[in-house]
Amino acid sequence: MKTMEEIYKTYEKPIFHYFYGLTGNTHLAEELTQETFFQVLRTFSGFRGEAQVTTWLYKVARNVYSMWKRKQKASFPLPEAELLKGPASYEPDTVLELKEKLSLTGKVLQELPENYREVFWLREWHELAYEQIAVIMGKSVPWVKVTLHRARLQFRKNYAEKEGKE
């Protein structure tokens, strides 16, 4: 069993990215990450090791997000401009094109229904197994697979539509 310090060092960034993927807001993602690890610290002695640490942490994070969302009427801003900066070695046209694609990707992701966006982020960004996502979401593995498939289809459709308009 890992210590609390090891868990924090290992999972702080992935949990932050999970929240950033859901909210699109760096400051809010940081606050939710801190609250998650506060909750983990409070309940750490009760963790029996029946689930993987990763699955347990994401489950706690999801609960923190759900509690926050109930308290707020959330609006999801687009990714912040500083995250869209390209490498200095790119040509200016390439950087501009990359920024436009990243901005469009952020817009399309934020427009997905929340359960699609969450499953999409957990699988594509965090590379979690279907079984882990099922535990985190409190759903079955087939539900996760179907939801992820629908999320991917919706993302592609919306991206293509918006790409044609811009």
Side-chain angles (χ1 to χ4, degrees):
M1 172 72 96
K2 293 182 176 185
T3 67
M4 189 59 212
E5 184 178 354
E6 291 172 328
I7 290 172
Y8 181 79
K9 286 180 180 178
T10 304
Y11 296 104
E12 184 263 338
K13 285 184 182 176
I15 296 295
F16 167 81
H17 288 293
Y18 166 72
F19 286 129
Y20 183 77
L22 292 175
T23 65
N25 182 304
T26 302
H27 300 293
L28 179 56
E30 288 171 351
E31 286 180 35
L32 293 172
T33 299
Q34 289 175 2
E35 179 62 23
T36 297
F37 282 100
F38 174 72
Q39 295 299 326
V40 166
L41 185 62
R42 284 185 50 231
T43 60
F44 188 66
S45 62
F47 178 66
R48 297 182 305 268
E50 294 172 358
Q52 294 178 359
V53 173
T54 307
T55 305
W56 177 62
L57 281 171
Y58 278 102
K59 184 92 171 165
V60 172
R62 186 167 196 268
N63 289 338
V64 166
Y65 178 72
S66 294
M67 288 187 321
W68 172 82
K69 190 153 188 234
R70 274 188 289 249
K71 292 179 185 176
Q72 308 290 320
K73 289 295 178 194
S75 64
F76 298 103
L78 298 174
E80 287 120 7
E82 70 266 11
L83 296 175
L84 299 177
K85 293 180 182 172
S89 62
Y90 284 174
E91 294 293 322
D93 290 344
T94 305
V95 172
L96 180 59
E97 185 179 332
L98 179 62
K99 285 182 181 180
E100 289 172 353
K101 285 183 179 183
L102 286 172
S103 178
L104 181 58
T105 299
K107 288 177 188 176
V108 172
L109 280 172
Q110 294 304 326
E111 290 174 359
L112 288 177
E114 187 172 342
N115 62 329
Y116 284 13
R117 186 172 58 247
E118 189 169 6
V119 169
F120 188 89
W121 272 92
L122 288 170
R123 179 69 181 162
E124 301 299 335
W125 183 265
H126 296 278
E127 300 175 341
L128 295 181
Y130 295 119
E131 294 79 11
Q132 290 176 297
I133 297 169
V135 170
I136 292 165
M137 302 286 292
K139 303 287 186 177
S140 68
V141 172
W143 180 90
V144 171
K145 290 179 178 181
V146 168
T147 303
L148 179 60
H149 176 71
R150 290 177 180 166
R152 287 173 175 158
L153 291 175
Q154 187 69 46
F155 177 85
R156 285 185 201 122
K157 178 181 175 252
N158 293 358
Y159 189 93
E161 286 174 2
K162 288 195 178 300
E163 189 175 41
K165 290 181 183 176
E166 293 184 5

